[in-house]
Amino acid sequence: MNFDLAEGLAVLARTPGTLHALLSGLPAAWTEATEGPETWSPFDVVGHLIHGEHTDWIARARLILDQGPQRRFTPFDRFAQFEESRGKSLAELLGTFARLRAENMTLLRGWHVTEAQLNLEGEHPAFGPVTLRELLSTWVAHDLGHIAQISRVMAKQYREAVGPWRAYLPVMDR
Amino acid sequence: MNFDLAEGLAVLARTPGTLHALLSGLPAAWTEATEGPETWSPFDVVGHLIHGEHTDWIARARLILDQGPQRRFTPFDRFAQFEESRGKSLAELLGTFARLRAENMTLLRGWHVTEAQLNLEGEHPAFGPVTLRELLSTWVAHDLGHIAQISRVMAKQYREAVGPWRAYLPVMDR
């Protein structure tokens, strides 16, 4: 499937509602569960998505669209949420994420990005040249990957509880 | 995490809203996408969940709670949705799933299942004796596994579009 701006936006716009429906009001036994040491809980993932709204996707898209002399992205901090989410409730994080995403959708829609602009390049600190098309595709896939992760982390909490059914539940051993 | 009826119900009750938020109104390019031949699209998965509401979880729970002479479960048809969903829209399937799940939640809550009843057994056609606790845990994990699957299937549609970022997106190669 080729990247299409309207199709990509359709997914990005739905993520806050999906996370709210999945997680809002759930017992902490679910939302603070992980897959083991050094892995993330649903709570951690929401904080990570917030950090992305603040510092990653829109900032990088703007850098590419500007085509200024400095097109190199600031490296993304994958662990910022451990500090930034401290002391906050999941309800607060879900609200913050929904607000930031809505603002970023408004920005992105307002840019009226053209097909030609989707081919403009920025410089990724590890990969080198990447296009706006690739950046926006990654934003969409990144959301979906984290929704899959949250569901998988939660499912695994019942790995023992399901007894013999584990053999029919591939999610338990991914 | 041990199975707890209130915690399990909290997840089961949220699944229709999660699927609605994630899928409702999305272009067919997303909702009819698969991981290749013989794999399921989001549309197929919703049909599969509907079939489970009709024939699997509640029927098996009732069979266990009744403790009648016949405690063997009817095998579940994993492919029923390909016939049953034919000609229906995703909006229709999401509505049907939400209605059936809500009815089943009302039934399950109304049974006021005790800890002792969670240990009662039925007979799975492949596994032999299984408890009500294992059945209900599996219902929860099955929902979450399919939410993870839907998100993964959608993410993979951008496997090429993300360019070099594929290396940072483990969901692409699961």
Side-chain angles (χ1 to χ4, degrees), chain A residues 1 5-6 12 20 49 62 86 102 104 108 140 152 166:
Chain A
M1 183 166 162
L5 191 56
L12 290 173
H20 188 272
L49 293 173
R62 196 178 267 134
R86 204 187 299 275
N104 286 338
L108 180 54
V140 174
R152 183 187 74 233
R166 181 167 169 178

Side-chain angles (χ1 to χ4, degrees), chain A residues 26-49:
Chain A
L26 266 193
W30 290 116
T31 61
E32 295 175 11
T34 69
E35 292 171 290
E38 311 293 309
T39 67
W40 296 2
S41 67
F43 179 88
D44 297 330
V45 172
V46 178
H48 167 72
L49 293 173

Side-chain angles (χ1 to χ4, degrees), chain A residues 1-8 10-11 14-15 17-27 29-30 33 57 60 73 124 126-127 129-131 133-142 144-145 147-152 154-155 157-169 171-172 174, chain B residues 1-8 10-11 14-15 17-27 29-30 33 57 60 73 124 126-127 129-131 133-142 144-145 147-152 154-155 157-169 171-172 174:
Chain A
M1 183 166 162
N2 291 322
F3 177 76
D4 173 272
L5 191 56
E7 286 173 354
V11 172
R14 279 166 173 76
T15 302
T18 302
L19 294 179
H20 188 272
L22 181 60
L23 298 175
S24 181
L26 266 193
W30 290 116
W57 312 106
R60 290 179 174 191
F73 305 153
H124 187 279
F127 303 139
V130 287
T131 65
R133 188 188 307 277
E134 288 165 344
L135 176 73
L136 297 178
S137 302
T138 303
W139 191 2
V140 174
H142 180 265
L144 293 167
I147 296 169
Q149 175 189 21
I150 288 172
S151 307
R152 183 187 74 233
M154 289 171 63
Q157 306 314 308
Y158 278 176
R159 188 145 60 176
E160 307 305 324
V162 298
W165 265 291
R166 181 167 169 178
Y168 285 3
L169 294 165
V171 70
M172 293 302 185
R174 279 191 207 281
Chain B
M1 184 168 163
N2 292 322
F3 176 75
D4 173 272
L5 191 56
E7 286 173 354
V11 172
R14 278 166 173 78
T15 302
T18 301
L19 295 177
H20 188 271
L22 180 61
L23 299 175
S24 180
L26 267 193
W30 291 116
W57 312 106
R60 290 178 173 192
F73 304 153
H124 187 280
F127 303 139
V130 287
T131 65
R133 186 188 309 276
E134 288 166 343
L135 175 74
L136 297 178
S137 302
T138 303
W139 191 1
V140 173
H142 179 266
L144 293 167
I147 295 169
Q149 176 189 22
I150 287 172
S151 307
R152 183 186 74 232
M154 290 171 63
Q157 306 313 308
Y158 276 177
R159 187 146 59 176
E160 307 304 326
V162 298
W165 266 290
R166 179 166 170 181
Y168 286 2
L169 295 165
V171 70
M172 293 302 184
R174 280 190 206 281

Side-chain angles (χ1 to χ4, degrees), chain B residues 8-136:
Chain B
L9 279 163
V11 172
L12 291 172
R14 278 166 173 78
T15 302
T18 301
L19 295 177
H20 188 271
L22 180 61
L23 299 175
S24 180
L26 267 193
W30 291 116
T31 61
E32 293 175 11
T34 68
E35 293 172 290
E38 310 294 309
T39 67
W40 297 2
S41 68
F43 179 87
D44 297 329
V45 171
V46 178
H48 167 71
L49 292 173
I50 289 172
H51 192 68
E53 295 306 298
H54 273 308
T55 70
D56 188 333
W57 312 106
I58 281 288
R60 290 178 173 192
R62 196 178 265 133
L63 205 68
I64 294 175
L65 285 167
D66 285 352
Q67 290 289 298
Q70 191 356 10
R71 298 177 198 173
R72 193 180 169 88
F73 304 153
T74 305
F76 182 74
D77 180 357
R78 290 183 62 255
F79 301 98
Q81 69 273 13
F82 294 107
E83 189 56 43
E84 291 174 0
S85 299
R86 204 186 299 276
K88 298 190 173 124
S89 69
L90 179 59
E92 190 177 347
L93 295 187
L94 288 168
T96 301
F97 176 60
R99 179 176 55 76
L100 293 171
R101 174 59 61 92
E103 289 171 7
N104 285 337
M105 293 295 93
T106 301
L107 272 176
L108 180 54
R109 287 197 186 95
W111 289 341
H112 302 288
V113 172
T114 63
E115 282 295 312
Q117 283 176 312
L118 288 174
N119 296 324
L120 292 174
E121 290 181 347
E123 191 191 340
H124 187 280
F127 303 139
V130 287
T131 65
L132 179 59
R133 186 188 309 276
E134 288 166 343
L135 175 74
L136 297 178

